[in-house]
Amino acid sequence: MSAKPGAATPTYSPKVVGRSRLPIFKDSDLDWSRPDGRGFPQCRPALLQTGAVSSASGSAYAEFGNTKVIVSVFGPRESKKAMTYSDVGRLNCNVSYTTFASPTLGQGTDHKEYSSMLHKALEGVIMMETFPKTTVDVFALVLESGGSDLSVVISCASLALADAGIMMYDLITAVSVSCIGKNLMIDPVTEEEGCEDGSFMMTCMPSRYEVTQLTVTGEWTTPNINEAMQLCLDACLKLGEIMRDCLKQAASASDE
Amino acid sequence: MVGLSIGEQHFVKGGIAQDLRTDGRKRLTYRPIYVETGVIPQANGSARVKIGGTDVIASVKAEIGRPSSLQPDKGKVAVFIDCSPTAEPTFGGRGGEELSSELALALQRCLLGGKSGAGAGINLSSLLIKEGKVCWDLYIDGLVISSDGNLLDALGAAIKAALTNTAIPKVNVSAEVADDEQPEIDISDEEYLQFDTSSVPVIVTLTKVGMHYIVDATAEEESQMSSAVSISVNRVGHICGLTKRGGCGLDPSVILDMISVAKHVTETLMSKLDSEISAAEACEDES
């Protein structure tokens, strides 16, 4: 990767994102202990860094435990001549996995829709009217897939867009929650995702306290959904603060 | 898609705010649903569903296949949706691809449940013939013939009806063979097994227009939406899938309220669909 401590861009030190709320489910029901020893409502420590790709308009690198993602943003660039005139900007998203991203070579087919899901998450938050006739390209590359890949990609993409100076209504943060039996765990790793009974992925704008994208699979009772939503909102607010700190640090470092 | 003038837009939004939509319905009323099963004789199961002006056909074909190495004790289900250009001229060529893949993804999410199989509408283990060797592959195809809004609900209902209509031939695994050889299978022509569809969920799409939500939006109401949430609820009242569409942000309390409204609407919709499907099946048996 790019800058190491001591160089122009300081490495953002990981901070344990912990919840102060007590979990609603009783600890005595625990029949699943998390592989990395976290509590159920505890997210992985996040490492966020901007300016990872110097040739891009904006870029960001995110490391959430074993999930490592790099996103670069190119644009606004002239739209291809074949495309019709449009008085709002266009967004083009692409999410790809490296061949070494997962322990087994080759990927499952369920990652093809990540590009369109990233597009849907970003299109509501970017002010497209500010760059008419042009296209903004967002390319995400998952270097290592350690669980909650799409959430990390979305958060990292919004950081990269902020780094590129694209106008947005707010930063967006995404968090996912897995349901295994009676337990809800936030920010699941690959092993937990492989045997989950349900998954809940939420993308929200922390400052405006609005949900922009919500995807739920599996069977959920209404109290579980309430609990999952509350967990996600808490985590999104905290992650939003961490992203803001990262951007402020990058901005102040470039001022020096 | 015919564009709406400013006056028409105000009329649609104002009507929804007053609980009186342009076709006279209340906010939470569905258009009349018409179900016909057995429309495609070559398929194992098929159904045609018309909700107002929206007309979709779903067909289920079962083929013998090999279970995947990651899940050797389960069959496979694949959902494909095709938006035909007869519905909208923009659907021709590559135009309808994005909508088709979005619909297929939402339906797959609702039908197959979590990774462990919890909450699945279709029990994949029931599709197994011989572990690790032979299983049924279900190909569910949806075709949109005419589009007047609320495609996802119509496709969900059509798939539910098609699965109820599906008859999978009975298979006899003949002769014990060595582990690395394919076993011989004998597909019966006479005996069929009906699919168990008691846990297939229905999908309800709630469209937010202004400050209120409506159920079963027509195409012109959908053009005025700020966002839409499609919620799939099964017979027990559990949420089997949720997808939010549209770029506008929603307050979390609004989403939770939508979920309770969807559960309330599902009760009537589920019973209506069940009666329509059984009536259609009875009609088909008579003819």
Side-chain angles (χ1 to χ4, degrees), chain B residues 67-170:
Chain B
S68 80
S69 45
L70 297 167
Q71 289 179 317
D73 57 344
K74 294 200 166 109
K76 300 199 292 272
V77 172
V79 178
F80 296 106
I81 304 294
D82 184 25
C83 294
S84 151
T86 56
E88 288 274 322
T90 51
F91 286 163
R94 302 283 309 269
E97 216 175 281
E98 200 189 303
L99 179 61
S100 308
S101 45
E102 188 193 321
L103 289 169
L105 181 62
L107 286 162
Q108 194 136 17
R109 194 177 285 143
C110 297
L111 287 172
L112 295 178
K115 290 259 173 64
S116 70
I122 304 176
N123 185 1
L124 290 177
S125 312
S126 65
L127 295 174
L128 187 69
I129 301 171
K130 188 160 171 66
E131 179 153 347
K133 297 273 182 62
V134 194
C135 72
W136 282 113
D137 283 345
L138 274 189
Y139 294 99
I140 302 180
D141 287 288
L143 176 66
V144 175
I145 303 172
S146 167
S147 159
D148 190 22
N150 211 15
L151 286 174
L152 194 55
D153 293 16
L155 282 164
I159 289 180
K160 190 175 165 73
L163 284 170
T164 318
N165 182 242
T166 302
I168 301 200
K170 239 175 140 189

Side-chain angles (χ1 to χ4, degrees), chain A residues 170-200:
Chain A
D170 192 5
L171 286 175
I172 48 165
T173 53
V175 170
S176 57
V177 165
S178 252
C179 172
I180 299 185
K182 290 176 293 246
N183 305 317
L184 293 176
M185 47 204 79
I186 202 167
D187 207 11
V189 288
T190 327
E191 298 98 324
E192 290 165 345
E193 277 183 340
C195 57
E196 64 189 359
D197 284 333
S199 89
F200 181 104

Side-chain angles (χ1 to χ4, degrees), chain B residues 170-192:
Chain B
K170 239 175 140 189
V171 177
N172 297 316
V173 184
S174 49
E176 285 298 321
V177 289
D179 273 338
D180 49 348
E181 283 175 27
Q182 276 293 104
E184 284 174 35
I185 44 174
D186 172 40
I187 303 177
S188 151
D189 280 333
E190 303 296 322
E191 293 165 34
Y192 287 87

Side-chain angles (χ1 to χ4, degrees), chain A residues 197 211 217 219-220 222 226, chain B residues 109 116 238-239 250 256 263:
Chain A
D197 284 333
V211 174
T217 51
E219 194 170 0
W220 291 78
T222 313
N226 285 335
Chain B
R109 194 177 285 143
S116 70
H238 293 169
I239 314 278
L250 282 179
L256 293 171
K263 282 170 76 166

Side-chain angles (χ1 to χ4, degrees), chain B residues 37-78:
Chain B
T37 55
V39 290
I40 300 178
Q42 301 99 326
N44 291 79
S46 58
R48 178 180 187 175
V49 166
K50 281 197 254 221
I51 301 185
T54 301
D55 194 352
V56 301
I57 292 185
S59 78
V60 177
K61 284 205 74 106
E63 311 225 323
I64 296 282
R66 227 197 139 90
S68 80
S69 45
L70 297 167
Q71 289 179 317
D73 57 344
K74 294 200 166 109
K76 300 199 292 272
V77 172

Side-chain angles (χ1 to χ4, degrees), chain B residues 202-204 231-235 261-271:
Chain B
V202 290
I203 306 179
V204 173
I231 302 167
S232 144
V233 184
N234 67 7
R235 211 171 283 270
V261 168
K263 282 170 76 166
H264 170 74
V265 171
T266 304
E267 288 159 19
T268 37
L269 179 63
M270 184 80 92
S271 50

